[in-house]
Amino acid sequence: MNGTGTNPTHPVLVVGSGPTGLLLAGDLAAAGVPVTLVEKRPHEISNLSRAFGVHARTLEQLDARDLADELLATGSTITELRLFRRLSLDLGTLPSRFPFLLITPQYEVERLLERRARELGVEFRHESEVVGLRQDDSGVDLDVRGPDGEVVTHRAAYVVGADGHRSAVRRAVGQPFPGVSVIKSLFLADVRLAERPDSVLTVNGAGDAFAMIVAFGDGWYRVMGWNRRHEVPDDAPLALDEVKEVTRRALGTDYGMRDARWLSRFHSDERQAPEYRVGRVLLAGDAAHVHSPAGGQGMNTGLQDAANLGWKLAAVVKGRSPESLLDTYQAERHPVGEAVLRSSGGLVRLARARNPALRAVRALVSAFVNAARPAQAKALAQISGIGYRYAAPRGSHRLVGTRVPDVPLEGGRLYEALRGGRFVLITPKAAEVSSDQGSREDRLSVERWASDRRTTVLVRPDGYVAWAADGVDTRAVWAALAAHVG
Ligand SMILES: Cc1cc2nc3c(=O)[nH]c(=O)nc-3n(C[C@H](O)[C@H](O)[C@H](O)COP(=O)(O)OP(=O)(O)OC[C@H]3O[C@@H](n4cnc5c(N)ncnc54)[C@H](O)[C@@H]3O)c2cc1C
């Protein structure tokens, strides 16, 4: 569709103000890139929430933006995840500043990210729906239908589609979204309860019924469940009585459920776009991948996509890095999306297992993970997001591509140092890396280990190692800075 008018070129247009688009737009603005966020919904923060679990790696990313403590105050934390009745994962052992799962509604995450984005100067355009897109070598034309129904074409150097699982941007660049439906019929209800469950998260499956109740901490509870005897389309009516009945079958009681403020059905797909980058158009969050809600990975994975893409896109737009840096977004995030699809899909298949062989596998997996520390640590690292590492070029130092934990530095801690959205070079205490920092001050901070560590590490703005060396070789440090920081 051709627009009826053309606006001047924007450096970046982000489509969709869900968690992914909000974090990305904020990061670009923080890096000094003017960014406009296009959202088809009117401006209102909904109190209806899809996601409710924020994992350790996401909290680390929010800490690097000084938002973690504020988010923590909105919810409650749990340190044990119970799956399939027998399998228990102890989040308290996670090697992170945040050894737990934070239960808080998605709208709290969005509220904080939106406030940050506005404070940093992101321009919001609500009631603006993307209806078409074309690109050439120098930019992208985005057709946007505004509140008055008129379609206007906006030109941008880059467009990011963070517009959810039905992404118009993904369709416009011709990316397929292959995959399958994993759960045909799930229900959701936000309710009040007369009796309080013993724990923040209560979950069980019995026979054909499955139910999970999560306490948001503000008097509202999320109930999610399925009933294999009653698999219906998403638009079939849902009454609170059905939610109560399935909950009683799965959990033995409905806790005196009442006052539903939201009742909805949905189905859960497992799909992934083959390419997260098509020329000047990038896909992130649910627009790039969707999976079952098991493990609570969706919003978390989208936020990690945004954290990975933001600094790279800023560096390319500002002319400090070649466009090829954007290919590393696909190389790093596509495999993570694939792994999340596999693990969340596996969890659902085991949870729904009916045939005796699969049930035996489930019992074996549970017993093994409960008993074997390395298996438990691996499962935890994956669910919490702290276990992912990115591929490193051949011959790199062993640390390259790994996540850096919140290590103490002489003047504070790493995730405080990352708050400027800059690279952080950490050197041994005695090292004399008196830098030419002056010219790189806006994108590099030089710090020293608080301990006697002898390694020199260059940390990317998203908290992964860009380059490392044992000891300090000043010439090698300069070369690394030139290659990575520009
Ligand atoms: C029941 C349920 C429970 C879940 N629980 C969890 C959990 O515990 N943890 C977790 O991590 N994830 C969970 N998820 C998944 C999570 O909600 C999503 O992964 C997350 O919302 C994706 O964020 P996003 O920003 O990528 O996309 P979205 O949140 O879908 O945002 C996309 C935005 O784009 C806008 N948009 C769409 N089309 C256009 C267009 N053409 N033009 C302009 N704007 C457009 C939409 O209005 C929307 O605001 C759950 C999902 C469900 C359904």
Side-chain angles (χ1 to χ4, degrees):
M1 188 184 305
N2 281 315
T4 54
T6 301
N7 278 349
T9 301
H10 301 261
V12 181
L13 285 168
V14 175
V15 186
S17 73
T20 307
L22 288 169
L23 181 71
L24 179 71
D27 282 5
L28 288 162
V33 175
V35 52
T36 303
L37 220 160
V38 182
E39 166 58 55
K40 72 175 176 189
R41 284 183 287 117
H43 181 235
E44 62 199 27
I45 297 270
S46 159
N47 66 350
L48 304 177
S49 183
R50 290 191 287 163
F52 47 78
V54 184
H55 283 294
R57 186 60 183 145
T58 307
L59 287 165
E60 291 178 349
Q61 292 293 0
L62 295 175
D63 191 22
R65 291 152 183 89
D66 203 8
L67 296 173
D69 290 340
E70 207 178 331
L71 189 67
L72 284 173
T74 65
S76 39
T77 59
I78 53 175
T79 52
E80 188 195 17
L81 273 185
R82 278 199 162 270
L83 304 168
F84 322 134
R85 242 189 285 192
R86 293 197 196 123
L87 173 58
S88 162
L89 294 177
D90 180 6
L91 293 159
T93 60
L94 276 176
S96 166
R97 186 181 172 81
F98 307 101
F100 43 72
L101 172 69
L102 172 67
I103 303 290
T104 194
Q106 181 168 330
Y107 55 76
E108 293 290 359
V109 178
E110 291 179 10
R111 187 177 58 78
L112 286 188
L113 292 176
E114 177 174 337
R115 190 193 66 205
R116 167 181 182 255
R118 285 188 188 277
E119 282 169 4
L120 289 164
V122 172
E123 185 191 336
F124 281 75
R125 291 194 183 196
H126 280 272
E127 297 180 70
S128 299
E129 181 179 2
V130 169
V131 292
L133 176 158
R134 296 161 303 283
Q135 61 174 318
D136 53 47
D137 288 347
S138 62
V140 186
D141 287 326
L142 194 68
D143 300 328
V144 180
R145 183 182 294 124
D148 54 5
E150 194 189 344
V151 175
V152 173
T153 301
H154 298 264
R155 179 96 177 150
Y158 292 92
V159 167
V160 182
D163 51 343
H165 67 292
R166 292 202 182 90
S167 175
V169 174
R170 186 186 65 234
R171 274 182 277 122
V173 292
Q175 270 296 289
F177 208 34
V180 291
S181 227
V182 255
I183 313 178
K184 288 199 196 87
S185 179
L186 276 153
F187 63 70
L188 272 183
D190 278 6
V191 296
R192 302 257 188 207
L193 299 181
E195 299 158 47
R196 256 166 76 157
D198 292 337
S199 44
V200 176
L201 192 151
T202 311
V203 54
N204 197 27
D208 284 337
F210 169 92
M212 177 169 82
I213 298 187
V214 182
F216 283 158
D218 59 359
W220 287 99
Y221 291 82
R222 158 65 48 84
V223 190
M224 184 163 77
W226 71 66
N227 175 7
R228 217 190 304 244
R229 290 185 213 156
H230 187 59
E231 295 193 325
V232 291
D234 293 354
D235 57 4
L238 173 67
L240 184 60
D241 280 347
E242 181 183 334
V243 177
K244 285 168 127 175
E245 190 259 330
V246 175
T247 309
R248 279 197 297 271
R249 269 168 45 211
L251 301 178
T253 169
D254 64 22
Y255 297 96
M257 221 173 262
R258 59 185 159 77
D259 299 343
R261 69 174 172 187
W262 189 30
L263 286 163
S264 141
R265 291 187 200 275
F266 69 107
H267 67 280
S268 166
D269 283 359
E270 225 172 64
R271 300 181 183 279
Q272 188 177 27
E275 300 297 334
Y276 286 11
R277 175 182 178 205
V278 180
R280 291 174 167 272
V281 177
L282 298 121
L283 300 172
D286 275 18
H289 46 74
V290 288
H291 22 83
S292 89
Q297 305 283 309
M299 177 180 73
N300 287 277
T301 310
L303 290 171
Q304 298 299 331
D305 290 346
N308 185 288
L309 179 58
W311 66 271
K312 293 176 180 173
L313 193 50
V316 171
V317 168
K318 294 185 128 196
R320 290 204 183 111
S321 297
E323 268 216 326
S324 57
L325 182 63
L326 296 177
D327 292 331
T328 68
Y329 169 64
Q330 160 85 12
E332 294 182 344
R333 293 306 300 168
H334 194 276
V336 173
E338 245 173 50
V340 172
L341 248 75
R342 258 198 317 271
S343 62
S344 66
L347 280 177
V348 168
R349 285 178 189 96
L350 286 179
R352 284 164 58 94
R354 266 202 285 203
N355 81 48
L358 257 185
R359 283 177 187 254
V361 171
R362 183 169 80 191
L364 263 178
V365 169
S366 303
F368 178 65
V369 176
N370 278 336
R373 275 180 181 231
Q376 164 110 206
K378 202 169 167 201
L380 280 170
Q382 186 160 33
I383 286 188
S384 66
I386 69 167
Y388 290 110
R389 65 168 294 167
Y390 298 136
R394 193 182 284 268
S396 310
H397 190 276
R398 67 188 183 287
L399 290 176
V400 172
T402 57
R403 150 196 169 266
V404 193
D406 190 24
V407 288
L409 305 172
E410 233 174 37
R413 55 187 184 87
L414 177 63
Y415 281 73
E416 283 170 350
L418 285 169
R419 283 181 188 166
R422 298 180 290 179
F423 280 81
V424 177
L425 180 71
I426 317 177
T427 68
K429 269 185 181 166
E432 282 303 318
V433 185
S434 58
S435 58
D436 68 338
Q437 232 207 101
S439 63
R440 293 192 174 111
E441 215 164 358
D442 61 332
R443 51 197 195 278
L444 176 71
S445 142
V446 179
E447 308 284 342
R448 290 198 166 86
W449 298 109
S451 65
D452 290 327
R453 260 180 103 158
R454 298 286 310 145
T455 325
T456 303
V457 175
L458 179 64
V459 184
R460 308 187 329 190
D462 58 352
Y464 291 83
V465 176
W467 173 88
D470 295 321
V472 193
D473 170 348
T474 313
R475 289 225 328 240
V477 171
W478 296 138
L481 290 180
H484 295 278
V485 185

